[in-house]
Amino acid sequence: MALTALIASCGVVSEATDDLARDQAKSTVNRVVADRFPSVNAAPVTDCIIDAADASEILSLAGASVTGVTDRTVQNVLDIAARPEAVTCLARNSLSLL
């Protein structure tokens, strides 16, 4: 029973860490989108990009929220946004982007 509780608490910690990283990554992506496309509602674009990013990209983007956005960060965001799953998401949400 103690092992089950320990495993469950590890899952909660892991989920909280993942959520924190995603929130930090969203802040970075939101900044890039707002700077590059000022007339677009950045929130739905950011969500599509974050959903298309893998774990290592999320961590890299989260790190940029602390260290600052570089040209490489911007390129990473644009590369992720060009993926089929991100493009599909953006097309599906296109009405809310305007």
Side-chain angles (χ1 to χ4, degrees), residues 62-77:
S65 73
V66 176
T67 61
V69 174
T70 65
D71 290 341
R72 182 72 190 135
T73 306
V74 172
Q75 189 58 52
N76 286 343
V77 169

Side-chain angles (χ1 to χ4, degrees), residues 14-55:
S14 177
E15 185 177 327
T17 303
D18 291 347
D19 289 346
L20 177 61
R22 285 178 67 84
D23 287 345
Q24 293 299 324
K26 278 186 177 186
S27 132
T28 298
V29 172
N30 206 54
R31 191 173 335 143
V32 170
V33 171
D35 287 348
R36 295 289 243 173
F37 309 101
S39 63
V40 170
N41 179 359
V45 173
T46 296
D47 289 340
C48 290
I49 292 169
I50 292 296
D51 290 345
D54 66 30

